[in-house]
Amino acid sequence: MMQRFHSSPVLAAAGVRHGFTTRHAGSFKGAAQEGLHHLGQEAGFDPQVLCQVRQVHGTRVLALTAPARGLEEADGMTTAAPLCLAVQSADCVGLLLADGRGRVAAVHAGWRGTVAGIAQAAVQALMQLGADPAEIRAALGPSIGPCCFEVGEEVAARFAALVPEAVLRSDRPRPHVDLRIANRTLLLRAGLRPGHIDAAPPCTRCQAEHYFSYRRDGARSGQQLAFILGGTT
Ligand SMILES: [Zn+2]
């Protein structure tokens, strides 16, 4: 049977329950979340405590103490309560963070959110809950890789101003951007330790067998889910 989700060794080492779905778990687009019950059973969470937001490529991070049903506009959530925070993506980075003491965050970081600083906003939001950045672990989910993320000069310039090494020019006619290097660098600047960042996920566009990709499949693309459980059990 095909794997429905996988986890990051960096988060698993701290005992954090979380996962990144593959297309074998189904699509988690909007209300069409047929695989949720099944996923909850397999990953060990109650779908009743699932929290989602209306993702808008911004930097707002909501601090939650009760389940949220995806009505509020935001691109990140934090909690220290026993909730399951989840973000959807097809090529954007689903970023999960945890301090190993029950404080967790889930973030949707496309290129706009990345250059706007959502990774740092999430670390700051976790610090407001009492987390120490030196203890925070982060994992980037399956997302479009530098192999496939061709961008225009305007987008390249915005990344160059923020994290120059995230812009790749080599021999290709148009610049490519590495969202992993960009987010990893921003997390390091926010105080995370290098060994606490898992930033080598598979490329969604390259791996059609396992992942949905907006660049490859267009608007009909399904979406992956990145989920993480907060609270201490
Ligand atoms: Zn690729």
Side-chain angles (χ1 to χ4, degrees):
M1 190 176 61
M2 292 294 188
Q3 204 174 358
R4 276 193 284 269
F5 69 94
H6 63 84
S7 55
S8 157
V10 170
L11 291 178
V16 181
R17 277 198 290 163
H18 71 286
F20 298 100
T21 66
T22 67
R23 63 187 305 159
H24 312 300
S27 171
F28 293 89
K29 196 174 184 176
Q33 308 201 346
E34 73 276 1
L36 188 60
H37 182 72
H38 206 153
L39 181 68
Q41 276 189 331
E42 199 172 340
F45 68 85
D46 179 352
Q48 295 293 325
V49 301
L50 191 79
C51 300
Q52 289 179 284
V53 284
R54 199 139 59 84
Q55 299 171 184
V56 291
H57 298 279
T59 57
R60 184 173 180 222
V61 180
L62 291 182
L64 298 174
T65 54
R69 296 294 175 209
L71 299 175
E72 282 215 63
E73 290 190 353
D75 286 272
M77 291 161 278
T78 60
T79 195
L83 299 173
C84 182
L85 309 182
V87 290
Q88 315 152 41
S89 62
D91 283 327
C92 295
V93 177
L95 170 63
L96 301 177
L97 303 119
D99 75 343
R101 297 169 187 270
R103 302 177 187 97
V104 300
V107 172
H108 164 250
W111 76 260
R112 286 187 180 82
T114 298
V115 294
I118 183 115
Q120 290 139 308
V123 171
Q124 281 164 12
L126 281 171
M127 289 167 68
Q128 281 169 8
L129 291 183
D132 174 358
E135 290 188 343
I136 296 174
R137 291 162 181 263
L140 279 64
S143 45
I144 193 162
C147 40
C148 294
F149 194 32
E150 184 180 281
V151 299
E153 290 296 342
E154 198 181 319
V155 173
R158 293 186 62 182
F159 277 90
L162 188 70
V163 182
E165 57 271 34
V167 181
L168 312 170
R169 291 192 175 274
S170 67
D171 54 349
R172 293 176 289 195
R174 276 159 59 92
H176 285 57
V177 157
D178 189 332
L179 288 172
R180 294 84 179 277
I181 287 181
N183 279 289
R184 184 173 190 278
T185 302
L186 296 173
L187 289 167
L188 290 171
R189 287 180 194 163
L192 271 66
R193 294 176 175 167
H196 282 178
I197 305 171
D198 183 352
C203 172
T204 44
R205 188 168 182 267
C206 286
Q207 297 201 17
E209 188 191 347
H210 299 301
Y211 299 105
F212 300 114
S213 166
Y214 189 84
R215 279 258 170 148
R216 189 188 61 233
D217 306 331
R220 65 190 174 85
S221 168
Q223 301 213 330
Q224 273 87 227
L225 198 71
F227 60 93
I228 189 165
L229 279 85
T232 48
T233 48

